[in-house]
Structures are given as C-alpha cells and as structure tokens.
Amino acid sequence: MKTLLITGAAGQLGQLLRRQYAAQRQFKVLACDSAMLDITDDSALQRLFSAVRPDIVINCAAYTAVDSAEQQPERCMLVNAVASASLAALCRQYDSLLISFSTDYVFDGQHNAPYTESDPASPLNLYGKSKLLAEDAVVQAGRYITFRTSWLFSALPGNFASSIWRRAVRGEPVSVVSDQLGGPTPASALAEAVYRLTMDYAAQTCLPYGLYHFCGYPYCSWYDFAKAIYQLAAPQHQHCLTAINSPFPGSLAVRPAYSCLDSSLFQRTFTQPATDWRTEIESYVKKMRV
Ligand SMILES: NC(=O)C1=CN([C@@H]2O[C@H](COP(=O)(O)OP(=O)(O)OC[C@H]3O[C@@H](n4cnc5c(N)ncnc54)[C@H](OP(=O)(O)O)[C@@H]3O)[C@@H](O)[C@H]2O)C=CC1
Ligand SMILES: Cc1cn([C@H]2C[C@H](O)[C@@H](COP(=O)(O)OP(=O)(O)O[C@H]3O[C@@H](C)C(=O)[C@@H](O)[C@H]3O)O2)c(=O)[nH]c1=O
C-alpha cells in the first residue's frame, strides 16, 4: 500500500482532503497538523521522511494571513518559501510526488484577460512573493504538481464566504470591495481534483507534472461573491451589503485588481469539467452554522 502524507492537515484544504481520503483503501494516509509536524523544522521533516518514506506528499501547510504577512515577512517566507524548498529536496531524495498549492496573488492584476500558466508573475504583496518563491522551489522535487488556485471557500469557519454568511444572517452592515475580480473556488472541488490525480498516480506512477491553474467560474468581484451569499442566506438583509472601492479599511497588503485564472490547461490535461462556484455555494450555505 502506498503512503500519502498531508501537511497542514487542520487547515481548510487539509481538512477537506482528510475527508476525501477517509473512505479509500488505496493509500495509507498520514495527516499531520502543525503540532504534529512543523514544516519549518528540518530535522523533524527528515525524521518523518526516513520513517515513513511517503510516496506522495500533499503540502497544505502555509502562512495564509495576507495582511499579517506584511508585518511578519520572515515568518511568511520561512513557512511558504524556505519550508517548500526543504520538502522538495526531501521529495527528490525519497522519490516522492509533491503536490503543492499556490495563489492568484502571484499576479499584479494588470491583465484584462484570464491569466495562463505562462503569463509572467509579479506579486504585489509579501504573501504572493513567498508563494512565487515556493513555486520555483518545488520544481526541484522532480515529480511535482502545483495547483495555482484562488479565493478558496468552504463551509468551514475562517474563509471569506463563511465570514460573510455569518454576518449576513445576523443582519450586520457589511462593506465589500467591488473592484477586485477573480474566481471563487470551492475547496472541496480542489480536494476532489487532488484525490483523482493521486488515484491516477497510484495506477500509473506517472503524471504530466507541472503547474496548473485551478479556479471556479464565473469570474466576479468579492462584492458579487458576497451578494450571491446574501441572496441565498439572508435575502431580507441584502440592504446591509454595500459595495466599496479597495483598499478595504485596515488592509495592509495590496491585492491585485484582476486575478482571474484560466484553468483550461488543467481541464484539458486531466479531462476535468470546470467548477461553477454558484452550485457549490448553495450547498455550503445550507451546511453553514453560526
Ligand atoms: N485560502 C485561500 O483562499 C487560498 C489558499 N491557497 C493556498 O492553498 C493552500 C491551503 O490553504 P488553506 O487550507 O485555505 O489555508 P489555511 O490557512 O486554512 O491552512 C493552512 C494550515 O497550515 C498550517 N501551518 C502554518 N504554518 C505551519 C508550519 N510551519 N508547519 C505546519 N503547518 C503549518 C496552519 O496551521 P496553524 O493554524 O496551526 O498554524 C493551517 O492549518 C495554501 O498553500 C494556500 O497558500 C491558494 C489560493 C487561495
Ligand atoms: C472580510 C472582508 C474582506 N473584504 C476585502 C478585503 C480583500 O480585498 C478581499 C478579500 O479579503 P480576505 O481577507 O477575505 O481575503 P484575502 O486574504 O485577500 O484572500 C486571499 O487569501 C489568500 C490565502 C489567497 O491565496 C487568495 O486567493 C485569496 O483567497 O475582500 C471586504 O471588502 N469586506 C470584508 O468584509
């Protein structure tokens, strides 16, 4: 039986991946949260690889607090860039497949058509810079797949959608920027894509390695996304939602005005359909609890 290691397993994507692998028998899954495995601890990583010899590593561990990253640049770089390089080196040494996740925030937002994988990246904020360095670092694993994704959401607490939902049902006044466009992406759709890919890998031990964009459609603004949540969760409170221009008050990081990702390469290569976030948000709204 092949062994699959999930790092950052208590995060949004990590939790959904754990659920995704719960019912299968193809892999022995070792899911480590940050207390079990700190990916910045090189000796802990080496001990784990030596003991477990994972066939696949899915790195969900990341520093994702975009504003705080501006105040903690060293920590953000250490977790996202330096630790990714350590993981990649170990994956090369142990011949493991490394699956990683990057972000639409590697782009500066100057485009007016969806970004493809070959478009040059030029991040505006520290988080985006650290993830771009991570993208470069993971290549050294040899066997690697990087999903560059955007605006992940789920029914779990702590993401934009669940935060807006909570305030919508309470009827609190909410202001949301309408001048940043991107693609909301259901975290469960990404978890499912990763699951399918690892099943293919288990069957073939070979994949079209590389970087793939993965985001939901249709593209919209953060305000449009919030509006859709209001319409489903609390239409009686829609008057509480206001469109504003960025920056959102209190933001420390600059965000790209346009970060729509063209996911067609992934869809063609892996014969996967596009993901409509509107369908997903309906079921999420039903699952969300205050
Ligand atoms: N969320 C989004 O909208 C997007 C996310 N991505 C990328 O997708 C990936 C998954 O994101 P998501 O699940 O939403 O992020 P989360 O913030 O929900 O999860 C990240 C996890 O990483 C853990 N972590 C942080 N530092 C370390 C460390 N040193 N060692 C081990 N674990 C650590 C955190 O644990 P703890 O809380 O204990 O520190 C947390 O559980 C990330 O690479 C992110 O950059 C890309 C685009 C959009
Ligand atoms: C919560 C909130 C945010 N905003 C704005 C701030 C910002 O410009 C935008 C999104 O804010 P958030 O803080 O939720 O998300 P942000 O941290 O910008 O989101 C990013 O997370 C990282 C990890 C990624 O990789 C990105 O793809 C993206 O999902 O919406 C509002 O206008 N009103 C609000 O009530």
Side-chain angles (χ1 to χ4, degrees):
M1 188 183 277
K2 290 188 185 297
T3 303
L4 185 149
L5 169 67
I6 302 175
T7 61
Q12 176 177 214
L13 187 57
Q15 287 191 53
L16 293 170
L17 279 165
R18 284 164 75 171
R19 284 184 205 165
Q20 192 75 52
Y21 285 96
Q24 57 78 43
R25 299 247 176 272
Q26 194 83 29
F27 295 105
K28 181 181 170 196
V29 175
L30 180 61
C32 295
D33 62 19
S34 59
M36 290 165 72
L37 178 68
D38 176 351
I39 62 163
T40 68
D41 182 342
D42 274 347
S43 47
L45 278 182
Q46 277 161 17
R47 280 196 305 277
L48 189 77
F49 269 74
S50 160
V52 171
R53 297 183 168 267
D55 297 286
I56 300 178
V57 177
I58 308 179
N59 182 25
C60 298
Y63 187 112
T64 57
V66 177
D67 287 315
S68 302
E70 301 296 317
Q71 295 174 313
Q72 292 194 305
E74 291 89 4
R75 181 71 196 158
C76 178
M77 283 290 175
L78 182 65
V79 177
N80 291 350
V82 179
S84 289
S86 306
L87 273 171
L90 283 163
C91 285
R92 174 172 278 282
Q93 186 183 338
Y94 286 87
D95 209 15
S96 319
L97 167 67
L98 177 58
I99 299 177
S100 308
F101 305 95
S102 188
T103 174
D104 55 324
Y105 284 8
V106 297
F107 292 115
D108 64 11
Q110 295 303 305
H111 259 217
N112 52 18
Y115 285 99
T116 68
E117 290 79 355
S118 52
D119 285 319
S122 177
L124 299 173
N125 57 48
L126 209 293
Y127 165 73
K129 287 176 187 159
S130 71
K131 297 298 286 187
L132 184 58
L133 287 171
E135 285 184 10
D136 293 341
V138 298
V139 172
Q140 66 171 303
R143 296 170 190 252
Y144 78 98
I145 299 273
T146 300
F147 288 93
R148 208 189 251 159
T149 187
S150 60
W151 303 19
L152 286 182
F153 69 92
S154 66
L156 296 167
N159 63 87
F160 178 88
S162 49
S163 146
I164 294 294
W165 174 85
R166 197 177 55 254
R167 289 183 284 161
V169 293
R170 288 179 185 165
E172 293 172 12
V174 173
S175 303
V176 178
V177 295
S178 57
D179 55 0
Q180 289 172 17
L181 303 185
T185 307
S188 64
L190 179 55
E192 197 179 323
V194 170
Y195 177 79
R196 287 195 186 153
L197 190 138
T198 56
M199 288 297 164
D200 286 353
Y201 183 72
Q204 304 158 14
T205 327
C206 187
L207 284 175
Y209 303 116
L211 169 70
Y212 295 94
H213 285 180
F214 187 98
C215 92
Y217 80 92
Y219 305 123
C220 67
S221 70
W222 287 107
Y223 172 76
D224 297 329
F225 188 32
K227 196 171 162 196
I229 295 168
Y230 266 81
Q231 278 165 354
L232 287 163
Q236 73 280 17
H237 292 148
Q238 279 195 76
H239 60 279
C240 299
L241 179 65
T242 310
I244 55 167
N245 289 327
S246 53
F248 180 63
S251 296
L252 300 177
V254 180
R255 271 91 169 162
Y258 182 95
S259 61
C260 305
L261 302 177
D262 178 340
S263 306
S264 58
L265 177 66
F266 175 79
Q267 289 156 15
R268 278 197 314 275
T269 309
F270 295 94
T271 49
Q272 294 288 311
T275 304
D276 185 337
W277 59 261
R278 295 168 302 188
T279 317
E280 299 287 334
I281 201 78
E282 269 188 55
S283 68
Y284 285 149
V285 163
K286 286 181 197 148
K287 284 185 212 158
M288 287 176 188
R289 299 280 178 272
V290 187

